[in-house]
Amino acid sequence: MKRIEQIAAVFTFIGILMKLLLIPGGAIVLGISLTVLATIYYPIGFFYFNSIPKGKIFKKESYAGLTFTRGLGTFGGGLIFSILAIGSLFKLLQLPGAAAMLTIGLTAGSLFFIVTLIKYFMNRVSSFHRNMLVRTILIVGLSGILVATPSLTLVKIFFRDNPEYINAYQLANQNPNDQDLRRKAEEAREKGNN
C-alpha cells in the first residue's frame, strides 16, 4: 500500500506540472491520483497506518497492541487527509466546494498536527509517529499553500492561453449573484478548452 501511496503522490505532482505547462490531460491525472490518495487515506487508512495486512483485517490478534487513542487517531487522520486530498483536487480544478473542504480539513489537520507533534516528542523512537508527522506536514502544508493561493491566481496560471475566460472569471467573481456572468465565464472556459 505504501508503494501505491508514493506512486499516487508522484502522479499528483506530475498532474500539477502538466496543468502548469498546459499539457492536456493534467486534470485527469490529478483526478485519478488524488482520488486514489483519498481512498487510501479514508476507507482503508486505519488499516494502512496501523500496518494491518489485508489478509488479517478480520483476525483479533491483528489489533492486540492497538490502543483506542491510536485507533481513533489513525481513523481521524485518514479522514482529514482524505478531505484535504479531495479539497485540493477541487481547488486545482476550480470546482465549487473547495474552500469549505480545505477550511474544514486544515482546521482539523492543524489540531491533528499538534497532537501528532506532541506524541512524536513523547515517543521519538516510534516510526509510526515519525511517519504520521511527516505525512501530516506534507499534506497539511501543501493544502495550506493552496488555501493561501487565490483562485484568480490559479485561473491566471492554468488558463493563461485563454484571456477571455480570465476576464469573464474576474467579472463573475466581482458580481457573485449575477448568474449571467457565471454562465458567460463557463462558456468562455468551454470555448477555450476546444
Side-chain angles (χ1 to χ4, degrees):
M1 194 62 65
K2 185 173 186 168
R3 177 70 68 202
I4 294 171
E5 179 188 26
Q6 291 169 342
I7 291 169
V10 167
F11 273 98
T12 298
F13 180 72
I14 290 170
I16 292 170
L17 280 178
M18 289 174 71
K19 285 205 52 85
L20 286 172
L21 298 173
L22 303 178
I23 298 171
I28 294 169
V29 172
L30 276 172
I32 293 170
S33 61
L34 285 170
T35 301
V36 167
L37 284 174
T39 303
I40 289 171
Y41 294 143
Y42 178 58
I44 55 178
F46 172 82
F47 306 109
Y48 170 57
F49 297 141
N50 288 306
S51 302
I52 299 171
K54 64 180 177 184
K56 296 186 178 184
I57 288 175
F58 298 108
K59 305 224 186 241
K60 188 176 182 178
E61 61 270 6
S62 298
Y63 307 95
L66 188 64
T67 63
F68 175 77
T69 54
R70 180 169 166 169
L72 185 64
T74 53
F75 178 80
L79 181 60
I80 292 165
F81 297 158
S82 183
I83 290 169
L84 288 173
I86 297 299
S88 297
L89 174 64
F90 276 42
K91 176 83 175 203
L92 290 167
L93 298 183
Q94 299 295 309
L95 298 172
M101 280 188 274
L102 286 172
T103 301
I104 291 167
L106 282 174
T107 303
S110 299
L111 295 173
F112 186 76
F113 170 74
I114 292 168
V115 171
T116 306
L117 188 64
I118 291 168
K119 290 283 194 180
Y120 171 74
F121 282 121
M122 290 173 56
N123 191 4
R124 288 186 190 204
V125 295
S126 170
S127 63
F128 168 78
H129 290 105
R130 186 186 72 245
N131 292 339
M132 288 302 282
L133 184 61
V134 168
R135 192 175 279 117
T136 304
I137 289 170
L138 287 173
I139 296 169
V140 171
L142 292 173
S143 298
I145 291 170
L146 276 177
V147 164
T149 305
S151 293
L152 180 59
T153 302
L154 292 177
V155 168
K156 286 180 178 179
I157 292 170
F158 295 146
F159 296 95
R160 63 185 174 270
D161 62 343
N162 188 353
E164 183 183 342
Y165 172 61
I166 294 171
N167 291 334
Y169 181 86
Q170 275 183 296
L171 282 173
N173 274 357
Q174 290 169 353
N175 304 297
N177 295 328
D178 191 336
Q179 295 301 318
D180 190 45
L181 288 176
R182 289 235 175 261
R183 185 183 49 75
K184 286 179 182 176
E186 286 305 313
E187 287 173 2
R189 181 177 179 164
E190 288 301 317
K191 192 164 83 170
N193 287 340
N194 295 334

